[in-house]
């Protein structure tokens, strides 16, 4: 099943292929030890309030979402070996290829949905 990440406010597709990380082990592994993240891909990690990029080989963009999937935080181009910011009310995160946020009109306060 192909799951997309869509900005509710703009109807813009942010990512075409979203993978979910909803178990302890899939959340723990995340993107660690992967070589790259394909364009139009994303990883939704839930529950999750903060992330790191230890053991990663590339930078990522991150959306921090509250329980209604409203964007409460955005980080662009978080480099390998770093710890992401702690955002109030974050309940899940979407990890995206670096540069994705600059290619979309996504901003704080907008809501996103995962659709198939």
């Amino acid at each position: 099943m192909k799951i997309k990440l869509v900005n509710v406010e703009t109807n813009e597709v942010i990512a075409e292929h979203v993978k979910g990380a909803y178990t302890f082990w899939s959340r723990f592994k995340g993107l660690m030890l992967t070589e790259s993240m394909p364009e139009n891909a994303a990883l939704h990690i839930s529950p999750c309030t903060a992330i790191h990029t230890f053991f990663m080989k590339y930078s990522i963009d991150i959306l921090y979402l509250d329980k209604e999937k409203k964007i409460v935080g955005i980080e662009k181009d978080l480099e390998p070996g770093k710890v992401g910011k702690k955002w109030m009310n974050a309940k899940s995160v979407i990890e995206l290829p670096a540069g994705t946020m600059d290619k979309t009109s996504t901003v704080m306060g907008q809501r996103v949905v995962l659709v198939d």
Side-chain angles (χ1 to χ4, degrees), residues 18-74:
V18 181
K19 181 179 176 185
Y22 307 127
T23 66
F24 173 81
W25 289 112
S26 64
R27 290 191 315 268
F28 176 77
K29 183 177 184 283
L31 297 172
M32 287 192 303
L33 305 176
T34 59
E35 292 296 321
S36 66
M37 187 173 214
E39 194 164 324
N40 286 317
L43 180 66
H44 180 224
I45 305 172
S46 181
C48 181
T49 59
I51 61 110
H52 66 80
T53 56
F54 300 137
F55 309 107
M56 288 181 57
K57 299 178 180 183
Y58 52 93
S59 298
I60 57 173
D61 287 353
I62 305 104
L63 295 178
Y64 295 84
L65 310 176
D66 70 8
K67 63 183 177 190
E68 281 86 32
K69 293 193 175 53
K70 186 172 101 179
I71 301 168
V72 296
I74 295 176

Side-chain angles (χ1 to χ4, degrees), residues 79-91:
E79 297 175 347
K82 303 289 182 187
V83 175
K85 293 178 186 172
K86 183 80 170 158
W87 296 89
M88 193 82 150
N89 300 322
K91 301 294 182 200

Side-chain angles (χ1 to χ4, degrees), residues 6-14 104-107 110-111:
V6 178
N7 183 322
V8 172
E9 321 297 323
T10 64
N11 208 31
E12 182 175 25
V13 176
I14 300 168
T104 70
S105 54
T106 306
V107 296
Q110 293 177 328
R111 200 169 66 82

